[in-house]
Amino acid sequence: MLSKERLDFVTFDVFTQTPFKGNPLAIVKVPLGFLLSKSQKQAIAREFNFSETVFLHQGEREASRERKIDIFTTTEELPFAGHPTIGTICSIATNADPDLVEELTLLTKAGPIHSKYDHRSFSAIASIPHNVHIHHDSLECSRVERLVSSVENKPYDDLLDLWPSDPSGLSLTFPVVSVVKGMTFILIGFPQGGGQLEKLQVGRQLTYAETLSLDKEWLPSFIAPYFYEILSEQEGKTLRIRARMIEPTIGEDPATGSAACTLAAYIALQRGEAGMTYRFNIEQGVEMARDSNIGVEISLDEHGRAVKEIHLSGSAVQVTEGTIML
């Protein structure tokens, strides 16, 4: 017997304008007054098996410029995530009056996200809620084990094996940074041109993350490593970066907007020029043949010691649509 309760959904590939590239996202449309429990949302997210699934709640008015969203991975709810934000904005924009979505606010667990959509470039830009925090604990290089294979197809015993024989001047400890409470990343940077990023293995248990001690007021939190290499810089204020996010329960993520925001904020704070705006073009998903392009803009305060604004930008393209039967 078929269920009478059904929900419409669409899927988008995010941080790309090319179908079957970027990061897939499911967006489930929840009608006004429809009761959907947290356990039902989690079950639906597991069914899609994407890195994230969004539940987009209908506004009280058809022309509402505010829309509530809930974001779920296959295992938990998140307060904020980047590619669900950009994908949802693009989804609403492609199915609404252009004037309606010129400015739009998404209501998330992390706070309101104010956004704009450009119908000429098919891209969205979102002002990301943030409370950037660098934790006291950091990851020593020697704690990262068995992440890559050597040319003989034998696992390295330690990430130190990936570094040049003379690592002087290179950091062998990696910061642990939260962009908001509940979203934390270990930022693992490789030297430029070393080729180490491509050697990372997917599927190994990153047990070192369990040994990290996050500052208590920032618990509980999702935590994952974000590997990166700076490819080029223009006057130290526009950076092009290649990145990968590999996490045991998810695998490899083609595009991670929250991690990109975290990394960009950390780099900007390390540069620390008062009142400066730094721009980042981050490439991710290349090794998976799901090339993604993530834009991040970080503005520092008048002292250069705190992040004033974070803007995340990107495109998305619809791939499928259908109905879920509950």
Side-chain angles (χ1 to χ4, degrees):
M1 182 175 177
L2 292 177
S3 169
K4 294 181 180 179
E5 293 186 327
R6 303 185 177 204
L7 294 173
D8 293 333
F9 73 87
V10 293
T11 69
F12 273 70
D13 286 338
V14 186
F15 291 119
T16 182
Q17 293 185 5
T18 305
F20 315 120
K21 298 290 185 179
N23 198 353
L25 174 73
I27 303 171
V28 179
K29 302 174 183 179
V30 183
L32 186 65
F34 190 95
L35 297 179
L36 195 64
S37 69
K38 184 174 181 179
S39 62
Q40 286 177 304
K41 294 174 185 176
Q42 190 66 76
I44 292 170
R46 284 197 301 269
E47 182 70 17
F48 278 111
N49 201 32
F50 292 161
S51 57
E52 282 103 9
T53 295
V54 165
F55 295 88
L56 173 62
H57 296 265
Q58 180 182 348
E60 293 188 5
R61 301 185 311 277
E62 185 66 27
S64 175
R65 293 179 183 269
E66 289 188 346
R67 302 292 294 274
K68 177 188 173 186
I69 65 171
D70 302 312
I71 304 170
F72 281 76
T73 71
T74 57
T75 59
E76 63 183 324
E77 185 175 9
L78 298 179
F80 156 74
H83 104 276
T85 297
I86 296 299
T88 302
I89 296 166
C90 291
S91 174
I92 296 172
T94 54
N95 292 282
D97 186 319
D99 292 335
L100 170 64
V101 292
E102 185 177 340
E103 294 187 3
L104 181 73
T105 299
L106 297 181
L107 304 177
T108 74
K109 297 292 193 301
I113 297 178
H114 304 291
S115 66
K116 294 183 179 180
Y117 183 81
D118 188 336
H119 282 270
R120 293 166 298 181
S121 63
F122 306 104
S123 63
I125 183 168
S127 180
I128 301 302
H130 59 277
N131 187 9
V132 179
H133 178 75
I134 302 172
H135 293 266
H136 288 90
D137 197 9
S138 60
L139 179 67
E140 295 180 1
C141 190
S142 57
R143 290 158 73 181
V144 184
E145 298 179 348
R146 301 183 183 278
L147 290 176
V148 297
S149 289
S150 67
V151 291
E152 292 85 9
N153 202 33
K154 296 179 181 178
Y156 283 100
D157 290 330
D158 198 291
L159 190 62
L160 284 168
D161 294 329
L162 282 179
W163 291 77
S165 56
D166 179 14
S168 59
L170 297 175
S171 173
L172 295 183
T173 60
F174 305 108
V176 179
V177 184
S178 297
V179 65
V180 293
K181 181 179 179 180
M183 293 300 292
T184 303
F185 295 93
I186 309 161
L187 305 178
I188 301 177
F190 290 114
Q192 187 172 353
Q196 291 94 334
L197 200 63
E198 292 82 358
K199 297 178 182 178
L200 292 170
Q201 280 189 316
V202 179
R204 294 192 177 277
Q205 295 299 311
L206 309 185
T207 55
Y208 63 88
E210 299 174 1
T211 69
L212 290 171
S213 298
L214 300 187
D215 297 337
K216 289 184 178 179
E217 61 271 25
W218 292 83
L219 293 169
S221 182
F222 171 86
I223 182 168
Y226 198 52
F227 304 91
Y228 71 95
E229 175 185 339
I230 296 176
L231 301 178
S232 64
E233 298 186 39
Q234 294 181 9
E235 299 179 354
K237 298 176 180 64
T238 300
L239 290 81
R240 180 170 162 254
I241 293 174
R242 178 92 161 265
R244 298 179 73 180
M245 201 285 273
I246 302 172
E247 199 275 336
T249 61
I250 297 174
E252 182 158 10
D253 197 31
T256 318
S258 54
C261 290
T262 305
L263 173 62
Y266 176 77
I267 293 175
L269 286 169
Q270 298 310 296
R271 308 277 170 116
E273 189 170 340
M276 183 54 62
T277 295
Y278 297 88
R279 294 174 177 84
F280 299 81
N281 299 310
I282 299 176
E283 304 168 7
Q284 193 177 331
V286 177
E287 292 77 11
M288 306 172 65
R290 296 201 67 101
D291 304 42
S292 304
N293 295 288
I294 307 169
V296 184
E297 188 175 277
I298 305 292
S299 297
L300 299 183
D301 67 5
E302 64 273 19
H303 304 293
R305 294 193 293 269
V307 173
K308 182 179 179 181
E309 292 181 317
I310 298 179
H311 288 102
L312 176 68
S313 60
S315 300
V317 58
Q318 184 173 332
V319 179
T320 71
E321 61 182 354
T323 303
I324 298 171
M325 295 179 289
L326 301 178

